[in-house]
Amino acid sequence: QAQLVESGGGLVQPGGSLRLSCAASGIISSIYHMGWYRQAPGKQRELVAVITTSGSTNYADSVKGRFTISRDVAKNTVYLQMNSLKPEDTAVYYCNAKWGLSEFWGQGTQVTVSS
């Protein structure tokens, strides 16, 4: 049974950093396109960053230059390094794995950026 478990969220001051982790089990994450999405209260879920099976990355304009997505194949884990955090980055962050018709979601981890 496939499972994605996010961790690393929390409360951070503006300008601070957090690193989110997404540990995959039941699937080999390296054969999936892995992405991070976020959903703020009252807003639709949006794509933040994606890393493809070939290692290519893509980012939302709002996080370019601040966030970095990466994967550790040996640990079957995907990361999202978030720097220079802003209050508008506050949201629940979800990990996603997608390949063809197969798609899985994690349960989400809360990130709150506030002074």
Side-chain angles (χ1 to χ4, degrees):
Q1 182 177 354
Q3 189 174 19
L4 302 176
V5 179
E6 301 99 333
S7 61
L11 174 64
V12 63
Q13 292 187 342
S17 298
L18 283 175
R19 188 178 80 155
L20 305 183
S21 299
C22 171
S25 61
I27 62 169
I28 302 172
S29 62
S30 60
I31 67 170
Y32 285 77
H33 301 312
M34 300 295 296
W36 285 96
Y37 289 72
R38 67 186 180 187
Q39 187 167 20
K43 294 188 177 181
Q44 290 191 334
R45 191 172 295 189
E46 63 174 356
L47 176 66
V48 175
V50 63
I51 184 166
T52 69
T53 54
S54 64
S56 299
T57 58
N58 198 19
Y59 298 91
D61 287 342
S62 59
V63 307
K64 280 181 181 177
R66 300 188 297 121
F67 290 11
T68 303
I69 188 171
S70 61
R71 71 195 326 160
D72 186 325
V73 174
K75 294 183 177 180
N76 212 20
T77 298
V78 175
Y79 303 97
L80 185 69
Q81 178 66 44
M82 305 186 295
N83 299 327
S84 302
L85 283 160
K86 305 176 181 180
E88 51 263 43
D89 295 319
T90 295
V92 178
Y93 284 70
Y94 297 91
C95 181
N96 172 269
K98 186 183 300 183
W99 182 252
L101 297 179
S102 296
E103 185 172 23
F104 307 99
W105 290 91
Q107 82 289 349
T109 185
Q110 176 70 46
V111 171
T112 302
V113 184
S114 175
S115 55

